[in-house]
Amino acid sequence: MHPLKKNRPLRRIVLSGAATVCGTVLLLSLKPHTSTAVAVAPPAASAGSGSSGSSGSSGSSGSTGSSGTRTVTGETVQTRWGPVQVRITLEDGRLTEVTAVTYPQENPRDQEINSYAVPQLRREALAAQSADIDTVSGATYTSDGYRQSLQSALDSAKS
C-alpha cells in the first residue's frame, strides 16, 4: 500500500502545507518588470510655428529659410487618450524632421507608453518618407493620431 494512503492525515497536511509555503515563496521572489524610462520631457516648441496647445489648427505652414525648407504643422487629431499633433520639416521635398508637438502625457502611464512610441513613430516616418507607417504595439490610439496628423501636414505641404 502507498505510504500516503495509510491512515495518517497529519502527514498529508504537513506535506501540502510545506508545498504551499514553497510555492508562495517562489511567487513572491519573482521581480516585476519595470520600465527604465518613465518620464518624458515636454516637446520643445520651435520658432516657426504655432503653440503646442493649439486645439484646432488645420495645417499652418511657413517657410523657414533658404533652399526650399518648409515647416508644416499638421491638424490636431483628437484620440481617446488626448490630442496628437505633428510638425514636419521638408527640405527640397524630402522629409527631414518629424516632431510630435502634442501627444497624450497627462499621467505616468501615458508618459511611459509615449516615451517609446513617439520616437519609434518618428523613425518610421523618416524612413518611409510618408505617413504609411506601422502602428506601435500598445500605443494604437497615439499611432493612429500621429499618422493622421502626419498625413494632413504632408497634404498641406504639397498644396
Side-chain angles (χ1 to χ4, degrees):
M1 185 177 258
H2 193 270
L4 292 179
K5 296 278 184 178
K6 294 181 182 177
N7 197 8
R8 296 185 184 172
L10 186 58
R11 182 180 292 180
R12 281 184 260 163
I13 292 171
V14 169
L15 287 174
S16 65
T20 303
V21 168
C22 287
T24 304
V25 168
L26 287 173
L27 283 174
L28 293 176
S29 68
L30 292 175
K31 301 283 187 236
H33 175 73
T34 57
S35 177
T36 57
V38 175
V40 175
S46 70
S49 233
S51 68
S52 64
S54 62
S55 60
S57 73
S58 59
S60 62
S61 65
S63 182
T64 60
S66 62
S67 71
T69 301
R70 282 184 73 181
T71 300
V72 181
T73 303
E75 293 180 0
T76 301
V77 178
Q78 293 297 327
T79 68
R80 179 177 180 179
W81 303 113
V84 178
Q85 187 177 30
V86 175
R87 179 182 301 127
I88 64 170
T89 302
L90 297 164
E91 290 183 20
D92 298 324
R94 181 163 166 72
L95 190 61
T96 58
E97 184 59 50
V98 181
T99 306
V101 178
T102 306
Y103 54 92
Q105 52 187 350
E106 296 300 316
N107 60 55
R109 182 68 176 144
D110 288 343
Q111 293 172 3
E112 180 182 4
I113 290 170
N114 291 318
S115 69
Y116 71 87
V118 171
Q120 189 169 344
L121 291 165
R122 178 187 174 274
R123 280 191 301 272
E124 287 197 26
L126 290 173
Q129 291 291 304
S130 70
D132 187 22
I133 57 177
D134 290 333
T135 298
V136 175
S137 179
T140 304
Y141 292 104
T142 299
S143 298
D144 291 344
Y146 193 97
R147 192 171 23 253
Q148 290 174 22
S149 183
L150 177 59
Q151 186 61 55
S152 74
L154 290 169
D155 291 344
S156 294
K158 289 180 183 177
S159 56

